[in-house]
Amino acid sequence: MSQSQYVTDAETVTENTCRVAVDTHGNVFKVPDYSIKDILGAIPAECYNRSLPRSLSYVARDIIAMVTIGYLTHVVGYPYVKDLHIAARFAYWFAYAFVQGLFGTGLWVLAHECGHQAFSDYGAVNDFVGWILHSYLLVPYFSWKYTHSKHHKATGHITRDMVFVPKTKEKFIKARGVYEDIEEFSEDSPIRTLVELIVQQLGGWLYYLLTNVTGQEYPEVSKWKWNHFWPSAPIFDSKDYIYILLSDLGIITQSLVLKMWYDKFGGWSLFINWFVPYLWVNHWLVFITYLQHTDATMPHYEADQWSFAKGAAATIDRQFGFIGPHIFHDIIETHVLHHYCSRIPFYNARPASEAIKKVMGEHYRYNDENMWVSLWKSARACQYIDDEGSKGVYMFRNVNNIGVGTGKKKN
């Protein structure tokens, strides 16, 4: 079937029902028709139970793991490698920073649990623990907590979602240059895709915090205020002001701690024990969240088509081997459930996830392919969105002749 035939079919079906669209690969996507009440009613009551001792034990586990790995690497292992070839020493320290970054990401996820009040029944404890853990990683805890909450409340809403808001066809054209039609674009080279992915993975998180990239635009406010550090930024409500300052205080305090670390132990210690693992944490955060919200089968909605139940279904569960459930605390494997009920702690998410699958049926989105492969595929296939006659239900399109793209003939 030709690409133009896919689009024609979409227009015919949506004209009659307004309940479907055609995804990037030409498959018919059916808009969910269940309610949030249906979803929440299926979740066993015990899944909502939160245990402060259990949650703290995971924080302790991750910190102990990082300290132990640091001791074994610096004290026990290093005498055996310090005289080896520089390549061997590089591999040794690379592996060390990589593993530390994994457990640092685990701490990031636990702070994320605090922000959702899934950590315990005690709000003050949740915010204190989350503020400490996120500040260590230079994350403005309350600032991100508030924008992330808005993201959960409007996931998949094209004008209200707060992050990974895809470009429309018109904005994509404008961003790439002055063209009158998408047909005038040539296919992106794989090299360009690779460079864009490297930039995204290395700097995407900081760029988001500093400029609100992939978030909503606020043309009535100066762009320098579109960030997570300015208390009166348009991404916040006026009641958030004092908490944004507390977030900034956490960043300032950690910056002073890092300066003291540098003065006491030197640049190498700070670089290998904190900075490189910090870069890994930033990478994993973008890697995880991008792939939770970007997929060729994933819809976005205009206001008149959106509902909370539909938006929460516009996410996807993936698999990341041993690391996902055991170090990243199941944030990858149970993300769909997390969007329906973010106060369920991660250690109760598996049974809750199984329960909602029975309600979601075909609308539950899951992909178990290698996530690095998915990263590449998504970057190539998911460049902009277009409703193509589906009346407010947007699906991803691209200029790379992947699936239903621009309508250009393949060479």
Side-chain angles (χ1 to χ4, degrees):
M1 185 180 290
S2 69
Q3 292 178 358
S4 60
Q5 185 62 45
Y6 283 132
V7 176
T8 301
D9 288 348
E11 291 171 345
T12 300
V13 176
T14 53
E15 183 178 353
N16 295 330
T17 67
C18 299
R19 301 291 296 174
V20 304
V22 171
D23 72 16
T24 311
H25 298 309
N27 301 310
V28 174
F29 165 79
K30 297 180 181 179
V31 174
D33 56 0
Y34 50 79
S35 69
I36 185 61
K37 183 178 180 180
D38 296 329
I39 291 289
L40 298 181
I43 299 174
E46 59 270 20
C47 292
Y48 293 95
N49 295 335
R50 298 168 291 185
S51 169
L52 178 58
R54 185 172 183 181
S55 295
L56 286 174
S57 73
Y58 286 105
V59 174
R61 186 206 72 171
D62 289 352
I63 293 175
I64 291 171
M66 295 178 75
V67 172
T68 302
I69 292 167
Y71 175 81
L72 293 175
T73 301
H74 286 277
V75 178
V76 179
Y78 185 61
Y80 295 97
V81 300
K82 65 178 182 179
D83 296 324
L84 298 180
H85 189 272
I86 187 174
R89 282 182 282 136
F90 175 85
Y92 180 80
W93 290 115
F94 180 90
Y96 165 71
F98 172 79
V99 175
Q100 292 289 67
L102 293 178
F103 282 100
T105 304
L107 288 176
W108 200 107
V109 173
L110 294 174
H112 163 261
E113 291 263 302
C114 292
H116 283 292
Q117 304 302 305
F119 193 78
S120 77
D121 294 329
Y122 311 102
V125 174
N126 296 339
D127 285 339
F128 178 74
V129 173
W131 184 76
I132 293 294
L133 295 179
H134 264 172
S135 295
Y136 174 77
L137 296 167
L138 293 184
V139 177
Y141 171 75
F142 290 103
S143 306
W144 181 82
K145 169 184 171 179
Y146 294 139
T147 61
H148 187 63
S149 175
K150 292 180 180 180
H151 157 63
H152 269 257
K153 292 174 182 177
T155 305
H157 193 300
I158 196 63
T159 58
R160 287 178 47 219
D161 202 351
M162 297 298 289
V163 67
F164 291 117
V165 179
K167 290 182 174 65
T168 61
K169 180 191 290 188
E170 293 74 20
K171 289 184 177 180
F172 179 83
I173 294 172
K174 183 177 180 181
R176 291 299 181 98
V178 182
Y179 293 90
E180 293 184 357
D181 195 275
I182 200 76
E183 303 292 334
E184 298 188 29
F185 283 97
S186 60
E187 181 175 347
D188 281 346
S189 70
I191 294 298
R192 175 171 183 158
T193 303
L194 178 62
V195 170
E196 289 177 346
L197 277 176
I198 291 172
V199 171
Q200 171 183 292
Q201 295 307 121
L202 289 179
W205 170 240
L206 288 177
Y207 199 35
Y208 170 65
L209 291 178
L210 292 169
T211 70
N212 199 43
V213 65
T214 79
Q216 298 294 336
E217 296 181 354
Y218 305 91
E220 71 282 0
V221 179
S222 298
K223 284 190 175 182
W224 67 270
K225 294 182 179 179
W226 299 5
N227 65 73
H228 279 72
F229 306 98
W230 187 252
S232 58
I235 57 178
F236 305 125
D237 298 327
S238 58
K239 63 182 176 61
D240 303 333
Y241 195 98
I242 186 65
Y243 293 98
I244 309 309
L245 293 178
L246 283 175
S247 299
D248 294 345
L249 177 62
I251 301 299
I252 293 171
T253 302
Q254 174 62 4
S255 298
L256 293 175
V257 169
L258 295 176
K259 175 62 166 58
M260 293 169 61
W261 188 338
Y262 176 84
D263 292 340
K264 180 72 173 179
F265 300 105
W268 168 250
S269 174
L270 179 63
F271 176 79
I272 199 63
N273 292 300
W274 185 87
F275 182 71
V276 181
Y278 164 77
L279 293 180
W280 275 113
V281 171
N282 290 357
H283 152 72
W284 289 123
L285 175 61
V286 176
F287 179 79
I288 292 167
T289 54
Y290 174 75
L291 287 175
Q292 286 169 339
H293 298 94
T294 310
D295 187 79
T297 67
M298 191 167 291
H300 289 77
Y301 299 94
E302 285 282 9
D304 62 344
Q305 291 292 322
W306 182 89
S307 71
F308 183 87
K310 294 176 185 177
T315 55
I316 186 169
D317 288 344
R318 299 184 186 272
Q319 294 290 315
F320 201 48
F322 176 87
I323 294 172
H326 298 290
I327 302 181
F328 289 174
H329 305 298
D330 255 346
I331 196 173
I332 297 172
E333 291 77 7
T334 61
H335 195 69
V336 175
L337 176 278
H338 175 67
H339 266 271
Y340 277 114
C341 189
S342 59
R343 291 200 175 195
I344 292 178
F346 76 89
Y347 44 80
N348 291 337
R350 290 273 179 162
S353 183
E354 290 301 316
I356 70 168
K357 289 178 187 178
K358 298 173 183 177
V359 177
M360 296 183 70
E362 64 181 308
H363 304 294
Y364 171 70
R365 191 170 288 100
Y366 167 82
N367 192 326
D368 63 353
E369 75 177 351
N370 184 287
M371 285 185 67
W372 293 100
V373 174
S374 295
L375 180 67
W376 180 258
K377 286 182 177 180
S378 293
R380 295 290 288 170
C382 305
Q383 294 185 312
Y384 64 93
I385 54 171
D386 190 23
D387 65 358
E388 290 186 310
S390 54
K391 299 182 180 179
V393 183
Y394 291 81
M395 305 302 291
F396 280 108
R397 299 291 184 257
N398 60 83
V399 297
N400 294 322
N401 285 319
I402 297 173
V404 182
T406 66
K408 295 181 293 186
K409 293 182 179 179
K410 295 182 180 180
N411 296 328

